Amino acid sequence: VRHNGLVYRSPVINISRHPLWGRIDEAYGEDPYLTSRMTVAFLKGTHGDHPRYLKLATTLKHYAVNNQEIGRRSLSADVSERMLMEYYLPHFKAGIVEGGATSIMTSYNRLNGVINTENPLLVQNILRDKWKYDGFVVPDSGAIEDMVTSYKKYATLEEAAGAAIKVGRDLDNSAFIPSLPGALAKGLQTEADIDRALRRVLKVRFRL
């Protein structure tokens, strides 16, 4: 049996807009308010009641505007600022501000042309600056590799991983371990970038 520790990669809180979306059975519906309330309840129940320590850590998924199966690793979800803030993000905000989510997973797709794996609007401007989030951010599985293979924005995995960690991605399933030493040696990121990511991850681990 595969064991991944106490960081659970749930809940999936994307808005359910089409019944053929492959993850629709995991999501909470098409209403951002209802999804917000269910998200907060899930997080609080999973974390437990202790003011400092966690029973389990949680991961909000998939941030953001990710609710289409076909082309989800290459498409651009083009939405207005109002739709983004009033329809696609309220439940994520509730999960962070009210529910105290400990980690969040960015999605494969682009948002208005910008790849979410390295999207500064979502992670720095909204998540960190507006919502004061202090947990760690993880790309979806294989998303850093996608920036080389699907999006073809970077020529090497080292370049993609270096760019991702510099804009606030803190932990990755597969790309960081083989590529970060080379990215550091080539000046694609600094030790301070890695230390910042490590602090965020270990902070959650210590609470567990």
Side-chain angles (χ1 to χ4, degrees):
V1 177
R2 182 176 178 180
H3 181 63
N4 290 317
L6 298 177
V7 180
Y8 273 42
R9 291 197 165 173
S10 59
V12 173
I13 63 170
N14 297 110
I15 296 296
S16 304
R17 297 196 62 202
H18 195 287
L20 296 181
W21 179 46
R23 306 294 291 272
I24 198 168
D25 60 311
E26 299 178 61
Y28 296 144
E30 60 187 18
D31 180 358
Y33 179 75
L34 174 63
T35 300
S36 296
R37 296 306 94 211
M38 294 181 72
T39 297
V40 172
F42 180 100
L43 296 176
K44 289 185 175 181
T46 304
H47 294 159
D49 298 326
H50 196 282
R52 182 173 183 180
Y53 297 110
L54 300 162
K55 288 184 176 179
L56 297 171
T58 51
T59 306
L60 296 180
K61 300 162 56 176
H62 305 81
Y63 185 64
V65 198
N66 175 260
N67 49 19
Q68 177 175 315
E69 193 67 15
I70 297 174
R72 67 194 176 110
R73 300 183 82 144
S74 59
L75 65 83
S76 177
D78 298 325
V79 297
S80 67
E81 182 180 2
R82 180 174 182 178
M83 281 295 290
L84 180 67
M85 302 306 295
E86 294 184 5
Y87 185 70
Y88 287 106
L89 294 188
H91 40 298
F92 282 100
K93 181 180 180 181
I96 298 299
V97 176
E98 296 179 59
T102 48
S103 65
I104 188 168
M105 178 183 287
T106 53
S107 55
Y108 292 120
N109 57 285
R110 292 173 291 164
L111 174 62
N112 295 330
V114 180
I115 305 169
N116 283 351
T117 306
E118 57 171 6
N119 193 326
L121 170 67
L122 288 179
V123 172
Q124 188 58 51
N125 297 358
I126 296 176
L127 196 63
R128 301 285 185 196
D129 295 343
K130 290 183 181 293
W131 299 345
K132 308 304 179 185
Y133 176 65
D134 65 351
F136 66 87
V137 180
V138 56
D140 208 338
S141 300
I144 291 180
E145 288 88 340
D146 283 351
M147 292 200 292
V148 178
T149 58
S150 297
Y151 292 111
K152 302 186 186 305
K153 181 173 181 181
Y154 298 102
T156 68
L157 194 58
E158 291 175 345
E159 293 174 338
I165 206 168
K166 283 180 74 69
V167 296
R169 302 314 181 268
D170 304 306
L171 180 70
D172 181 67
N173 281 1
S174 55
F176 278 5
I177 291 175
S179 60
L180 287 187
L184 181 63
K186 295 175 182 177
L188 301 172
Q189 90 236 329
T190 66
E191 287 190 10
D193 296 322
I194 297 175
D195 288 345
R196 180 190 61 214
L198 188 60
R199 280 195 299 270
R200 291 168 177 165
V201 174
L202 289 180
K203 181 178 179 180
V204 174
R205 182 166 185 171
F206 293 155
R207 293 183 64 200
L208 288 166

